[in-house]
Amino acid sequence: TVALDPRFAARVAPGTSVFIYAKAPDAPGPPVAVMRTVTGDWPLHFKLDDSMAMMPGRKLSDFDTVTVEARISASGDATAQSGDLYAASAPLHPRDGKALALTISMEKP
């Protein structure tokens, strides 16, 4: 799930773009899985899987360790911008299938 820190609630309008993605910390390049949704009722529920790969042949299940990030983009742009609100997980093993709870509580400088 992705929750929003209450101190940012007044800054985020319903329908604002949210990107949730997995990145391979040891492999440069684009995220290995990405999902785009919009804000509304919190928490947001998500599941990343191989069908959300950004590049063919570079699937989430191919990686032993990933980090998961959630970013609210006021501009709707997939590229991070100053002022975007976000959360990031510690490294995790995607095949474990464990639930992950992120709270958006940081702001991009």
Side-chain angles (χ1 to χ4, degrees):
T1 59
V2 177
L4 179 64
D5 186 310
R7 65 190 166 114
F8 292 122
R11 291 180 46 188
V12 180
T16 303
S17 292
V18 179
F19 294 91
I20 303 168
Y21 48 94
K23 295 172 65 175
D26 298 332
V32 295
V34 65
M35 172 185 169
R36 181 180 184 166
T37 188
V38 295
T39 58
D41 294 331
W42 297 99
L44 300 173
H45 295 270
F46 73 94
K47 181 177 180 178
L48 298 176
D49 60 36
D50 286 347
S51 72
M52 299 167 168
M54 289 194 61
M55 296 175 57
R58 193 168 189 243
K59 302 177 300 192
L60 180 62
S61 63
D62 291 338
F63 294 87
D64 291 327
T65 305
V66 297
T67 58
V68 177
E69 299 182 18
R71 184 176 48 81
I72 298 172
S73 173
S75 69
D77 194 356
T79 304
Q81 297 181 15
S82 178
D84 284 354
L85 303 175
Y86 73 101
S89 76
L92 56 91
H93 302 283
R95 288 185 217 115
D96 287 351
K98 294 181 181 175
L100 175 65
L102 296 171
T103 299
I104 295 175
S105 61
M106 298 178 281
E107 184 172 357
K108 293 273 184 194

